[in-house]
Amino acid sequence: MTEDTPDRIAAGQTDHAARPLEAAGGGRAKVHHKPHPIHGWRDFLKEIGIVVIGVLIALAAGQSVEWLNWREKARVADTRLLADARTVLNHMLERLDIQSCQDRRLVQIKDRLLVSGAMWNGMAPFYTEGPPAGSTYAHPMRTWPRTAWENAVASTAANHLPPDRLADYSKIFDAAQREANDQTNEHEDSSQLNLLGSNLTLTPDQKILFLLVIERERARNRVMAYEAHNSISYFGALGVDVEKVRKAAREDSLAYKVCRANGLI
């Protein structure tokens, strides 16, 4: 056996240090080095810049997704708003077309009351078909949709529409609400006039009450037509073909048909 001398031990240590480390399976073991420390302001600013750019990219991506999401919500809201706006326009054009007819019918009833004595002979019905059949006086009963508008406002999708378009929708649906309110009051008054389809004995005070109802109806009828007239430009600004809707409104309107049949248009 050869003794290990100091020189041999030293030589063995040198040879061992010079050889790469061997893994248990014979392969070379991986040596993991620690990251280099940042040296100087230049490296520090470079690292900060990389972080900042990464954050900005993430924020921009998030904002892009949110913008696309609201853009789609606004598109859906606009489609629904436009559909309801066309319905409102249909009803408004109907009120415009029959305003003179409605007023003439009310004047006919008024003139009869002014010349009649205590005995009132019932007037022939103005409507002979449809829900108002047998009515001495009637008017269209329409729904004035606002659901799409209320939903768009509640969801804030309306805020993502172009400002001019949003303003036009706002004016249209505000006007529709006023028309709906007037129609409710109109119905309460007009129903009283249907009593004049029967033979009655009327006192002077009762005649005055009927005359007051007639004048309220005439005034309200004018206001509803005025509201409709002032709203037409908003629909045009939205790109709605007003004349096309007018044609459809006349074809759909029983009131317009009755007015023509009675020669009051």
Side-chain angles (χ1 to χ4, degrees):
M1 177 178 298
T2 305
E3 294 183 358
D4 291 332
T5 63
D7 290 341
R8 181 176 293 279
I9 292 172
Q13 288 176 342
T14 303
D15 291 343
H16 178 73
R19 291 195 301 271
L21 295 175
E22 299 292 334
R28 294 185 179 183
K30 295 181 179 178
V31 178
H32 297 280
H33 299 283
K34 295 181 179 179
H36 294 292
I38 297 174
H39 299 291
W41 283 104
R42 178 176 294 180
D43 287 346
F44 175 74
L45 293 175
K46 180 180 179 181
E47 294 291 333
I48 292 295
I50 292 172
V51 172
V52 170
I53 291 171
V55 170
L56 290 176
I57 291 173
L59 288 174
Q63 289 175 348
S64 296
V65 170
E66 184 179 8
W67 178 80
L68 289 171
N69 183 43
W70 278 114
R71 182 182 180 185
E72 176 61 15
K73 288 182 178 180
R75 184 194 66 78
V76 172
D78 186 72
T79 299
R80 293 171 179 169
L81 287 167
L82 196 58
D84 276 2
R86 285 194 177 96
T87 300
V88 170
L89 177 60
N90 180 291
H91 301 345
M92 285 185 169
L93 292 172
E94 179 183 43
R95 296 302 309 211
L96 274 173
D97 282 346
I98 67 170
Q99 190 274 326
S100 60
C101 165
Q102 298 288 99
D103 191 69
R104 290 182 182 119
R105 177 59 178 176
L106 289 167
V107 170
Q108 285 178 347
I109 301 171
K110 174 184 175 180
D111 290 344
R112 279 277 310 271
L113 279 167
L114 290 173
V115 299
S116 68
M119 298 303 298
W120 172 264
N121 295 320
M123 297 183 71
F126 190 48
Y127 281 76
T128 58
E129 60 180 294
S135 299
T136 304
Y137 174 79
H139 58 84
M141 287 294 293
R142 298 295 191 181
T143 57
W144 297 86
R146 282 176 52 86
T147 302
W149 172 249
E150 291 169 356
N151 288 343
V153 171
S155 68
T156 70
N159 296 337
H160 297 269
L161 294 170
D164 291 346
R165 198 166 182 83
L166 176 60
D168 289 330
Y169 279 131
S170 177
K171 291 169 184 174
I172 285 170
F173 291 107
D174 283 350
Q177 185 62 62
R178 291 190 291 271
E179 295 278 51
N181 294 340
D182 282 335
Q183 181 180 275
T184 299
N185 295 328
E186 179 182 40
H187 187 63
E188 292 176 0
D189 274 346
S190 66
S191 60
Q192 298 179 46
L193 296 179
N194 288 327
L195 290 171
L196 298 176
S198 304
N199 295 329
L200 303 170
T201 300
L202 298 176
T203 66
D205 287 344
Q206 289 173 326
K207 285 186 178 184
I208 289 174
L209 290 176
F210 278 120
L211 290 170
L212 288 173
V213 169
I214 289 170
E215 290 307 315
R216 282 199 301 270
E217 284 290 89
R218 293 183 70 194
R220 190 176 293 115
N221 201 23
R222 287 193 296 270
V223 168
M224 293 185 74
Y226 181 76
E227 185 85 69
H229 175 76
N230 287 345
S231 300
I232 298 300
S233 61
Y234 308 138
F235 297 96
L238 292 173
V240 178
D241 187 336
V242 174
E243 290 308 312
K244 182 178 180 180
V245 176
R246 185 190 298 275
K247 181 180 179 181
R250 288 178 175 176
E251 292 174 352
D252 179 60
S253 174
L254 175 61
Y256 186 77
K257 178 181 177 181
V258 168
C259 285
R260 287 182 63 86
N262 283 276
L264 297 180
I265 290 183

